[in-house]
Amino acid sequence: MSWRITLMAIASAVVCTTATFALAAGGVRSLAHTAGIHFGTAVNVEALGTDAPYSRLLAREFDLVTPENAMKFSVIQPERGRFDFSQADALVAFAEAHAMQVNGHVLVWDQQLPDWLTQGHFSSDELKAILREHIQTVVARYRGRVASWDVAAEAVGEDGKPRETFWSRGIGADYLALAFRWAHEADPQARLRYNDYGGEGAGAKSDGIYTLVAGLRTHRVPIDAVGLQMHVSLNDAPRPEDVRLNMKRLAALGLQTDITEMDVMLPLPASRAALKKQAVLYGAMLQACLAVPQCRSFSTWGATDRYSWIPEFFPGQGAALLFDASGHAKPAYWSIKLALLTKASHKR
Ligand code: XIL
């Protein structure tokens, strides 16, 4: 363990009460609750039905779930006007059975779109009607059951300028404002979020996201939160201090924040040294969130390395999550637990 984690361990040992130690013995979700945040993961809905140890691990450790793919456009509306909610329903039922919150993911994104949509040569008015129907059908179905929605994602480029996407080309720049308004109409209580990667700390993209959401706020678009995805490696992670400052400036706009999809990819096979560095990074990002009252949740993009998207999308990389492929806790898990324990013991 690094000096930072060792120090945290000492600090928490000093302030811990017996009750806090009792908390630490359970999963992370109760500790996160005491620390004042939700603790989440992306869920592979197909594995829910086939892998009982996986389902048990989810129920023990997390109180917030995001469907990894089950609510994406191509899954939910594979043919025009034909909605398939089977996987999404299964996810929501699982969450309700285990007293978890659901984060809906994702309504307006330019990936995992069905061919009928991308090859359809629709006019701007037709696309608006399609998007409105999609958003309102999906959000209304889960009204009161999905606490927050990733309404829009990845609309900003690396240079901080609005990115040209299928939706911006087809509808025009106001597609984002329209999407948030339609989602709000369908469920006025749902917390509506913009979610992006690579803009978590300082830099052009972070500034671009800030400018985008500030503009939405100015125009009274119903946006409540910004999701910082946090797909990182040991070499390219933002400085935790910059993440904290970014969260602070978003909070000053009246926006909550979440760390929505954290994973830390390592070259395979992962060395012990890399796993320790990964643990430090997870702990530091969680601490950044815990330092900002408006940071409401911390989620990883998967629970165990068995179902992580990383090895497929980044060949040679993996071991990115808190549990290994057999479901055993990795150093990163203990680092997360320590950060929560420290915060929880100060709150009690
Ligand atoms: C990924 C899933 O994990 C994969 O299974 C799928 O094939 C592609 O999408 N940012 C996001 C997620 O917001 O929806 C992506 O999920 C990962 C990057």
Side-chain angles (χ1 to χ4, degrees):
M1 288 276 152
S2 80
W3 59 270
R4 243 192 279 193
I5 295 183
T6 313
L7 275 184
M8 276 170 46
I10 294 167
S12 56
V14 170
V15 293
C16 267
T17 61
T18 316
T20 316
F21 276 121
L23 264 179
V28 160
R29 59 181 285 175
S30 55
L31 212 45
H33 180 77
T34 310
I37 63 165
H38 287 285
F39 193 69
T41 180
V43 171
N44 180 323
V45 176
E46 278 148 10
L48 276 186
T50 56
D51 185 344
Y54 171 70
S55 304
R56 282 199 296 274
L57 186 149
L58 295 179
R60 187 183 75 226
E61 300 290 344
F62 301 95
D63 69 352
L64 168 66
V65 285
T66 300
E68 183 169 354
N69 290 301
M71 286 184 177
K72 288 176 179 171
F73 206 124
S74 57
V75 179
I76 289 263
Q77 199 182 161
E79 289 163 41
R80 188 170 181 185
R82 183 172 74 78
F83 288 80
D84 179 352
F85 292 111
S86 48
Q87 286 197 34
D89 284 355
L91 185 271
V92 174
F94 176 80
E96 288 174 346
H98 298 286
M100 298 159 146
Q101 275 204 353
V102 179
N103 172 65
H105 175 90
V106 48
L107 298 170
V108 189
W109 191 32
D110 68 346
Q111 291 185 43
Q112 293 178 271
L113 297 173
D115 288 346
W116 68 261
L117 180 60
T118 54
Q119 315 290 316
H121 305 289
F122 296 110
S123 71
S124 163
D125 281 347
E126 284 171 324
L127 271 184
K128 274 189 203 170
I130 287 169
L131 186 58
R132 179 177 190 156
E133 191 203 7
H134 183 80
I135 290 176
Q136 298 206 319
T137 305
V138 177
V139 175
R141 181 179 182 89
Y142 298 108
R143 185 167 36 225
R145 301 172 73 198
V146 166
S148 61
W149 276 101
D150 288 329
V151 175
E154 303 180 10
V156 175
E158 302 306 311
D159 58 1
K161 300 207 177 88
R163 205 163 65 82
E164 196 185 297
T165 68
F166 172 77
W167 297 109
S168 71
R169 271 194 303 276
I171 295 180
D174 62 341
Y175 78 100
L176 286 171
L178 290 170
F180 279 95
R181 294 210 158 95
W182 291 330
H184 184 65
E185 272 171 32
D187 185 354
Q189 304 303 321
R191 176 174 177 267
L192 304 184
R193 187 160 84 182
Y194 173 78
N195 189 40
D196 212 333
Y197 68 90
E200 295 88 357
K205 185 157 180 180
S206 165
D207 291 348
I209 293 168
Y210 177 83
T211 304
L212 172 76
V213 297
L216 294 174
R217 293 286 292 172
T218 304
H219 291 98
R220 301 196 177 284
V221 173
I223 173 173
D224 303 294
V226 175
L228 310 177
Q229 291 186 10
M230 202 69 77
H231 295 288
V232 298
S233 70
L234 293 178
N235 306 321
D236 71 358
R239 291 175 50 216
E241 175 61 4
D242 289 337
V243 174
R244 189 183 68 80
L245 291 172
N246 191 31
M247 288 177 166
K248 289 292 261 190
R249 71 172 172 167
L250 291 166
L253 294 174
L255 291 166
Q256 297 184 341
T257 43
D258 304 281
I259 291 181
T260 52
E261 305 186 10
M262 185 157 178
D263 47 25
V264 182
M265 68 177 84
L266 304 177
L268 293 175
S271 68
R272 283 167 66 95
L275 288 166
K276 283 184 187 170
K277 286 187 188 153
Q278 179 186 56
V280 173
L281 197 52
Y282 265 109
M285 290 307 175
L286 175 57
Q287 280 179 308
C289 170
L290 292 171
V292 180
Q294 291 83 359
C295 182
R296 305 302 308 130
S297 73
F298 181 97
S299 294
T300 54
W301 201 243
T304 79
D305 289 335
R306 179 163 182 193
Y307 300 114
S308 167
W309 72 307
I310 295 293
E312 189 190 334
F313 282 76
F314 302 89
Q317 306 280 316
L321 296 167
L322 304 181
F323 297 90
D324 69 16
S326 320
H328 295 123
K330 294 160 61 184
Y333 173 81
W334 302 109
S335 171
I336 290 283
K337 218 167 185 180
L338 270 175
L340 289 170
L341 192 55
T342 308
K343 178 77 177 183
S345 58
H346 282 109
K347 285 213 152 189
R348 292 171 73 86

